[in-house]
Amino acid sequence: RKEVEQDPGPFNVPEGATVAFNCTYSNSASQSFFWYRQDCRKEPKLLMSVYSSGNEDGRFTAQLNRASQYISLLIRDSKLSDSATYLCVVRPNAGGTSYGKLTFGQGTILTVHP
Amino acid sequence: ETGVTQSPTHLIKTRGQQVTLRCSSQSGHNTVSWYQQALGQGPQFIFQYYREEENGRGNFPPRFSGLQFPNYSSELNVNALELDDSALYLCASSFGKETQYFGPGTRLLVL
């Protein structure tokens, strides 16, 4: 079983749509959670961190369910510029020799069309 | 822009050769992590360097090695290249365990 699993999609949605991505992780000791965005042939960029209480940044809402080991990202009012690959990322507990390691999911491809 | 730079941007090698990839970290950052991203996959952690010492390693064979220099820049060396080593190699710099910022990557093609 992969440490971080995502539905690879692709998701193809019209502008203005609401789209949700899901992600599960296997290591219950994981401490930090993120969503990164990666444009075609570019490097990943941090979109937002994910907190247990849930957090929102404009049109983006992230949720974490530690009991189910499940992370989600909701994008409202999709824009053409939201087209990218969205990567679910988990980091183990701080301390030890691997705390800096980020574990990425496969990524979910989103295409927003006019 | 993150301020993390990588060189070269593209590279073509043949099986069995050796390659060195370079990364300059963002000003003020003391930690560099290296990742391999195969086509259609998420990045996979290779190793991390903190203050010139290896500080964690992923599931990569010993022919993947690295260095970090006093100015916190870093090198990734891969010996005895295999076809499956073809990938985008990303470095990320951070201040300790804080947010990692990625460079643009080096695209390696092994023929």
Side-chain angles (χ1 to χ4, degrees), chain A residues 2-3 8 34 36 38-46 49 85 87 91 94-107 109, chain B residues 1-2 10 31 33 35 37 40-45 48 50 55-59 88 90 96-105 107:
Chain A
K2 291 183 180 178
E3 290 185 67
F34 312 92
Y36 274 71
Q38 187 171 26
D39 293 305
C40 187
R41 304 185 71 80
K42 298 283 191 179
E43 72 273 22
K45 293 184 179 177
L46 179 65
S49 300
T85 297
L87 296 157
R91 190 171 69 192
T97 60
S98 63
Y99 73 79
K101 167 188 175 181
L102 297 180
T103 302
F104 287 79
Q106 179 181 2
I109 299 170
Chain B
E1 300 298 324
T2 63
H10 297 80
T31 302
S33 305
Y35 295 83
Q37 186 174 23
Q41 302 297 317
Q44 281 198 300
F45 177 75
Q48 182 182 80
Y50 171 67
N55 181 44
R57 187 178 183 94
N59 294 326
L88 177 67
L90 295 158
K97 64 178 182 178
E98 301 301 318
T99 301
Q100 295 185 19
Y101 295 91
F102 285 83
R107 292 196 178 276

Side-chain angles (χ1 to χ4, degrees), chain A residues 5-24:
Chain A
E5 295 205 59
Q6 294 181 249
D7 178 350
F11 286 66
N12 197 332
V13 303
E15 276 185 289
T18 295
V19 62
F21 304 138
N22 304 317
C23 167
T24 57

Side-chain angles (χ1 to χ4, degrees), chain A residues 51-98:
Chain A
Y51 304 113
S52 297
S53 55
N55 48 299
E56 190 173 305
D57 182 1
R59 299 181 291 109
F60 299 84
T61 301
Q63 297 278 353
L64 167 65
N65 184 321
R66 285 186 184 271
S68 303
Q69 295 178 204
Y70 171 92
I71 307 163
S72 66
L73 176 69
L74 183 76
I75 305 176
R76 292 182 300 278
D77 189 23
S78 299
K79 310 291 185 192
L80 296 177
S81 57
D82 293 334
S83 298
T85 297
Y86 290 82
L87 296 157
C88 177
V89 184
V90 171
R91 190 171 69 192
N93 202 357
T97 60
S98 63

Side-chain angles (χ1 to χ4, degrees), chain B residues 13-24:
Chain B
K13 292 285 190 178
T14 56
R15 275 186 302 174
Q17 285 189 308
Q18 178 267 341
V19 69
T20 297
L21 310 182
R22 295 178 175 83
C23 172
S24 291

